């Protein structure tokens, strides 16, 4: 018998912790998916059991996120990064240049593609203060093709607290790191996209929710796989979908439903984040939060300690007690606690206790 594994709390930013019941369900069903006597990885995506799973995922997304009939739910590949390109390729043809809000690492990457592929412009940026807040949106020209925002900046740890009103100009949001963490009104968005590997499941599948009215502006002649209509018309089965990732998405979404859905998880997420920011504020001599308080993310809590040696001691001490994945993104350093939907309050409490003890010890 291998030795019992001590509890590990996983704070990685993505791929990230999955709900334990979703993993246990996969373990139980691995060799016999839906009574087939085979694993989900081994059956045709055109076979009935897979088709039923695929439909179940779309239904769960619709009900959990409140997606109206005006919008399609697509399951794509290529990660959120491919959406950085697909959005301008498909949606920029109408009207004037698209407008991007540059809030950090990921918004910058999205804007780069928007500029390169469709001459988009950055209309607001928080770069001058190291992306520590969400800048105000200037008046948007009604002719603008779309406005692109990043609802949660995974690296800097900032989050839009309320979404901007862009009138008739479609709002496009990269929600990779906070999708389904809080309720929202999907009707206000032209398009939402999210790589699954933070709040939804493993990497390999990307969720896109798109207003069908936008299809009419898609230019002719796009590569077939890069045209949203291809996937909408084929119900996201134009080619072989990432079946194992879609299966895990189902397990995570049905777990989320069991938790009471997005509004219940939002209340829990709020408590979790508050717990950590409270420690940061109480010991501001040791922990310097990166995001301004009014822009703090409930998903990625970013902070620095006085110097790199102390940060190293903090990270090593944390790891020694099973608090894993707390190093900040390689581009900014420091520390980051990613506390997505699947992180239980107990895990956050363990980190808060460790941070308090580290402060008491006198670093
Ligand atoms: N947008 C955000 C907000 C992200 O956090 C990430 C990944 N960390 C990406 C986009 C890129 O996603 P992918 O790796 O799925 O291309």
């Amino acid at each position: 018998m291998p030795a019992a594994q001590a509890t590990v709390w996983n704070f990685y930013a993505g791929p990230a912790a999955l709900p334990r019941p979703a993993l246990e369900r996969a373990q139980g069903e691995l060799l016999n998916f839906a009574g087939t006597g085979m694993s989900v990885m081994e059956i045709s995506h055109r076979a009935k059991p897979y088709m039923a799973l695929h439909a179940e995922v779309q239904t769960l997304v619709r009900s959990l996120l409140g997606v109206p009939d005006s919008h399609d739910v697509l399951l794509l590949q290529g990660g959120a990064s491919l959406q950085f390109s697909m959005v301008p390729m498909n949606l920029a043809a109408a009207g004037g240049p698209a407008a991007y809000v540059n809030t950090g690492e990921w918004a910058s990457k999205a804007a780069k593609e928007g500029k390169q592929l469709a001459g988009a412009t950055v209309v607001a940026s928080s770069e001058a203060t190291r992306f520590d807040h969400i800048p105000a949106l200037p008046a948007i020209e009604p002719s603008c093709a779309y406005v692109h925002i990043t609802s949660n900046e995974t690296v800097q740890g900032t989050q839009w607290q309320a979404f901007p009103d862009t009138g008739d100009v479609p709002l496009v949001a990269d929600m990779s790191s906070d999708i389904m963490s809080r309720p929202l009104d999907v009707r206000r968005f032209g398009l939402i996209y999210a790589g699954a590997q933070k709040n939804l499941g493993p990497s390999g599948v990307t969720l896109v929710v798109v207003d069908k009215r936008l299809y009419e502006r898609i230019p002719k002649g796009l590569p077939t796989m890069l045209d949203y209509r291809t996937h909408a018309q084929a119900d996201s089965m134009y080619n072989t979908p990432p079946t194992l990732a879609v299966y895990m998405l189902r397990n995570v979404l049905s777990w989320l439903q069991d938790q009471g859905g997005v509004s219940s998880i939002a209340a829990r997420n709020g408590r979790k984040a508050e717990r950590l920011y409270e420690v940061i504020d109480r010991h501001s001599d040791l922990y310097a939060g990166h995001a301004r308080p009014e822009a703090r993310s409930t998903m990625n809590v970013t902070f620095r300690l006085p110097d790199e040696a102390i940060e190293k001691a903090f990270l090593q001490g944390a790891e020694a007690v099973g608090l894993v994945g707390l190093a900040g993104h390689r581009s900014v350093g420091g520390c980051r606690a990613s506390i997505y939907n699947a992180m239980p309050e107990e895990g956050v409490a363990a980190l808060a206790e460790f941070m308090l003890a580290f402060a008491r010890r006198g670093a």
Side-chain angles (χ1 to χ4, degrees):
M1 281 280 282
Q5 175 71 50
T7 305
V8 167
W9 296 114
N10 173 359
F11 294 93
Y12 280 118
L18 291 168
R20 199 174 169 94
L23 290 169
E24 284 168 351
R25 182 173 182 184
Q27 187 176 42
E29 294 177 351
L30 185 66
L31 301 181
N32 185 9
F33 165 66
T36 59
M38 295 170 276
S39 84
V40 68
M41 289 172 274
E42 302 169 294
I43 60 171
S44 166
H45 57 292
R46 310 279 173 203
K48 274 202 183 119
Y50 180 78
M51 301 272 278
L53 171 83
H54 200 85
E56 186 185 349
V57 168
Q58 287 162 326
T59 306
L60 280 165
V61 171
R62 278 195 183 278
S63 69
L64 286 163
L65 208 54
V67 181
D69 290 342
S70 52
H71 288 58
D72 276 330
V73 171
L74 309 179
L75 303 173
L76 307 184
Q77 298 189 63
S81 299
L82 185 59
Q83 294 310 305
F84 294 165
S85 312
M86 278 178 74
V87 164
M89 289 171 96
N90 282 264
L91 307 184
Y100 280 70
V101 183
N102 188 6
T103 44
E105 178 87 9
W106 297 107
S108 306
K109 291 199 164 129
K112 179 176 167 238
E113 294 299 295
K115 275 187 210 162
Q116 198 163 293
L117 293 164
T121 54
V122 169
V123 295
S125 171
S126 52
E127 189 167 12
T129 54
R130 294 183 302 122
F131 299 121
D132 64 354
H133 68 286
I134 303 291
L137 198 64
I140 297 294
E141 293 290 327
S143 62
C144 176
Y146 59 86
V147 174
H148 181 284
I149 63 167
T150 308
S151 60
N152 184 78
E153 280 288 353
T154 323
V155 171
Q156 281 83 11
T158 58
Q159 187 173 29
W160 287 78
Q161 311 294 312
F163 293 111
D165 183 358
T166 55
D168 289 334
V169 176
L171 180 60
V172 174
D174 174 2
M175 294 197 185
S176 294
S177 50
D178 69 350
I179 185 111
M180 295 205 196
S181 69
R182 54 178 171 169
L184 52 90
D185 182 358
V186 173
R187 283 170 306 184
R188 291 182 56 191
F189 294 86
L191 190 144
I192 293 169
Y193 62 91
Q197 64 272 19
K198 289 126 182 17
N199 257 343
L200 300 178
S203 57
V205 60
T206 307
L207 176 66
V208 173
V209 175
V210 53
D211 187 334
K212 297 179 209 175
R213 284 175 301 180
L214 295 178
Y215 295 150
E216 65 187 35
R217 61 163 76 183
I218 300 176
K220 285 201 176 68
L222 287 183
T224 308
M225 278 292 285
L226 301 183
D227 185 323
Y228 287 122
R229 286 169 305 189
T230 302
H231 304 287
Q233 283 157 13
D235 204 18
S236 302
M237 297 261 253
Y238 174 74
N239 71 328
T240 316
T243 53
L244 180 61
V246 173
Y247 165 81
M248 280 307 300
L249 179 54
R250 191 280 306 269
N251 288 6
V252 172
L253 294 180
S254 72
W255 167 83
L256 181 54
Q257 195 173 45
D258 292 345
Q259 302 305 297
V262 171
S263 38
S264 302
I265 213 82
R268 189 191 297 174
N269 288 335
R271 288 195 298 272
K272 281 155 41 185
E274 209 174 305
R275 182 93 204 251
L276 296 183
Y277 288 122
E278 204 247 330
V279 175
I280 288 172
D281 289 342
R282 196 169 351 141
H283 294 280
S284 52
D285 48 333
L286 181 63
Y287 303 113
H290 178 74
R292 293 185 195 170
E294 69 278 8
R296 283 172 165 175
S297 166
T298 56
M299 299 279 99
N300 308 99
V301 177
T302 48
F303 54 96
R304 298 216 72 131
L305 284 86
D307 62 47
E308 282 182 16
I310 301 176
E311 268 165 12
K312 201 167 160 208
F314 176 86
L315 292 170
Q316 280 174 352
E319 184 130 7
V321 295
L323 304 167
V324 176
L326 287 164
H329 188 268
R330 61 191 185 285
S331 65
V332 296
C335 303
R336 167 175 56 173
S338 297
I339 50 172
Y340 302 116
N341 286 354
M343 169 60 71
E345 288 183 84
E346 206 189 337
V348 169
L351 174 58
E353 286 307 315
F354 174 78
M355 289 172 75
L356 289 171
F358 192 81
R360 273 196 302 271
R361 239 181 290 160

